[in-house]
């Protein structure tokens, strides 16, 4: 279903008087960064309401590469948003009439300190999203949808520029910012990268789904990249992002029609920075679908592709809102054992 259809449904729903009370975002607490030496048990769900960084070091061709998971605030959505309720048409309506929200989930930004330069995957949220008038410029229906289905928790200190600075990563070290897709909790930090190359898959940029371009910086003109077919196992489409060819943008459609993920093929394991392919790893393994997805058939196919790749290579699966993703990153817990079919 395209965005126009979704908005038309929302308009009819609003005209019928389906209004949900929008509850206030809870106060934010602050936590300390976590690194390799102080990593919590993998089953521990940390408090994502403060600044939180997980760091691990992997090897690539004998060189050390640091990977950071940076929590840029939190997001909660209606339960029907995260988990499908009803058929293909009804699931969209249920997102808007659902009065129950999920727990607050992290909004991860991933940073790879690659020898060719730092690569940032997505940009997270910004604290202005908490302002009551933030969505005024996007139009009445889009404003209604976002106020009624999504809640954020973020402070200025949690935004990606401040957190990169705390890690000692200067803007001139950043090779590129790579976008998995163009939803606001992934694009609202773009404002902090005015002089950095921003990479988006061409079809995602030209044919987005439920994006809010009114919130983009006026200077936002990303470098559009085209996939090559059959260039990496399992994934039908991919394009190399490094000269070494060890970091790739791979097609993982479903959440949006042209959603991408970033694949880093390190020596010890491969790491898939998976955007919103699923909300957490268990959702992928159970074959459970999010209600908000653009195309459920594409999502199922993407699930199969990811699991097929995980049978061929040790794969650490890292969605953007998975509370346990950073623990899996630090502890190198793979999705499946290679050679064993799911």
């Amino acid at each position: 279903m395209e965005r126009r259809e979704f908005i038309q449904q929302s308009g009819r729903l609003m005209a019928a008087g389906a209004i949900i009370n929008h509850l206030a975002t809870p106060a934010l607490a602050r936590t300390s960064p976590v690194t390799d030496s102080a990593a919590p048990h993998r089953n521990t769900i940390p408090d994502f309401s403060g600044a939180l960084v997980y760091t691990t070091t992997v090897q690539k061709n004998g060189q050390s590469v640091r990977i950071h998971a940076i929590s840029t605030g939190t997001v909660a959505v209606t339960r029907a948003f995260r988990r499908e309720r009803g058929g293909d048409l009804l699931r969209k309506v249920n997102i808007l009439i659902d009065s129950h929200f999920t727990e607050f989930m992290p909004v991860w930004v991933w940073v790879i300190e690659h020898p060719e330069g730092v690569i940032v995957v997505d940009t997270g949220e910004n604290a202005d999203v908490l302002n009551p008038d933030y969505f005024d410029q996007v139009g009445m229906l889009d404003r209604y949808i976002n106020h009624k289905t999504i809640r954020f928790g973020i402070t200025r200190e949690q935004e990606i520029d401040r957190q990169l600075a705390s890690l000692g990563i200067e803007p001139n070290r950043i090779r590129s910012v790579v976008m998995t897709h163009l939803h606001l909790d992934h694009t609202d930090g773009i404002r902090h990268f005015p002089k950095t190359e921003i990479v988006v898959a061409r079809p995602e940029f030209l044919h987005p789904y439920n994006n809010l371009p009114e919130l983009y910086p006026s200077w936002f003109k990303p470098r559009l990249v085209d996939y090559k077919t059959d260039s990496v196992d399992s994934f039908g489409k991919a394009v190399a992002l490094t000269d070494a060819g060890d970091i790739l943008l791979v097609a993982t459609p479903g959440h949006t029609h042209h959603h991408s993920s970033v694949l880093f093929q390190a020596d010890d394991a491969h790491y898939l920075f998976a955007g919103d392919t699923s909300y957490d790893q268990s959702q992928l393994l159970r074959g459970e679908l999010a209600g908000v997805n653009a195309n459920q058939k594409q999502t199922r196919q993407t699930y199969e592709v990811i699991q097929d790749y995980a049978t061929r290579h040790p794969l650490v699966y890292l969605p953007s809102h998975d509370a346990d993703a950073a623990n899996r990153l630090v502890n190198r817990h793979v999705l499946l054992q290679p050679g064993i079919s799911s």
Side-chain angles (χ1 to χ4, degrees):
M1 181 183 298
E2 297 295 336
R3 182 184 178 196
R4 183 177 298 276
E5 296 174 73
F6 183 67
I7 290 175
Q8 288 172 346
Q9 287 182 4
S10 304
R12 289 194 292 271
L13 192 61
M14 184 164 58
I19 303 298
I20 307 168
N21 290 327
H22 183 61
L23 302 179
T25 301
L28 297 174
R30 188 165 183 83
T31 60
S32 300
V34 178
T35 60
D36 282 308
S37 59
H41 188 274
R42 66 182 303 270
N43 292 323
T44 300
I45 299 178
D47 177 5
F48 294 104
S49 59
L52 187 65
V53 177
Y54 284 68
T55 299
T56 193
T57 302
V58 304
Q59 296 295 311
K60 181 60 183 180
N61 295 332
Q63 292 185 282
S64 294
V65 177
R66 293 206 304 170
I67 304 175
H68 308 282
I70 299 175
S71 175
T72 58
T74 57
V75 62
V77 295
T78 60
R79 293 179 185 175
F81 192 109
R82 185 170 68 178
R83 182 176 181 180
E84 180 184 60
R85 285 175 46 199
D88 205 47
L89 177 62
L90 188 59
R91 66 186 171 93
K92 300 290 185 178
V93 177
N94 282 331
I95 289 172
L96 294 167
I97 65 175
D98 190 355
S99 60
H100 298 93
F101 277 73
T102 66
E103 74 284 1
F104 275 84
M105 302 172 286
V107 181
W108 294 117
V109 171
W110 309 97
V111 179
I112 309 168
E113 294 194 58
H114 192 271
E116 295 181 22
V118 175
I119 291 180
V120 177
V121 181
D122 290 331
T123 64
E125 252 309 334
N126 67 67
D128 287 346
V129 75
L130 300 181
N131 295 338
D133 61 353
Y134 187 70
F135 293 105
D136 285 358
Q137 60 189 309
V138 305
M140 182 177 66
L141 293 179
D142 277 332
R143 182 168 66 249
Y144 168 77
I145 292 167
N146 282 278
H147 275 308
K148 300 305 179 183
T149 65
I150 309 173
R151 302 173 186 166
F152 290 102
I154 183 170
T155 66
R156 178 67 184 92
E157 288 301 314
Q158 293 174 305
E159 293 184 36
I160 187 59
D161 63 322
R162 296 278 178 89
Q163 300 219 53
L164 288 173
S166 72
L167 290 169
I169 298 176
E170 301 296 331
N172 61 5
R173 290 182 54 203
I174 300 175
R175 176 188 176 103
S176 58
V177 173
V178 184
M179 307 305 304
T180 61
H181 63 297
L182 297 175
H183 287 167
L184 81 160
D185 54 324
H186 299 256
T187 62
D188 267 359
I190 285 174
R191 61 173 65 181
H192 300 304
F193 301 96
K195 297 181 180 180
T196 303
E197 175 186 79
I198 299 174
V199 176
V200 182
R202 186 180 302 276
E204 172 69 16
F205 186 77
L206 297 180
H207 306 286
Y209 178 82
N210 283 352
N211 67 321
L212 297 173
E214 300 90 345
L215 301 179
Y216 299 163
S218 59
W219 49 260
F220 179 52
K221 294 181 181 178
R223 179 170 75 90
L224 305 183
V225 296
D226 297 299
Y227 295 120
K228 297 180 180 179
T229 58
D230 300 322
S231 56
V232 63
D233 288 345
S234 306
F235 297 99
K237 299 177 181 178
V239 58
L241 300 174
T242 55
D243 295 338
D246 52 1
I247 299 182
L248 304 105
L249 191 67
V250 297
T252 51
H255 182 69
T256 67
H257 295 295
H258 305 285
H259 185 285
S260 303
S261 298
V262 174
L263 178 66
F264 176 34
Q265 299 173 322
D267 294 341
D268 64 327
H270 294 185
Y271 297 83
L272 187 68
F273 307 98
D276 290 354
T277 51
S278 68
Y279 277 88
D280 56 39
Q281 179 168 286
S282 64
Q283 191 172 47
L284 167 73
L285 292 173
R286 293 194 306 266
E288 178 186 290
L289 302 174
V292 76
N293 290 337
N295 187 301
Q296 302 294 45
K297 181 179 179 180
Q298 285 183 322
T299 302
R300 291 187 187 94
Q301 291 171 340
T302 289
Y303 283 5
E304 292 172 2
V305 165
I306 292 171
Q307 292 184 70
D308 181 71
Y309 190 88
T311 67
R312 301 167 185 260
H313 307 277
L315 182 69
V316 181
Y317 178 63
L318 303 168
S320 294
H321 303 297
D322 187 336
D324 198 44
N327 283 318
R328 293 198 303 274
L329 170 69
V330 170
N331 292 292
R332 295 169 179 77
H333 287 285
V334 299
L335 180 62
L336 301 169
Q337 290 300 317
I340 301 176
S341 174
S342 60

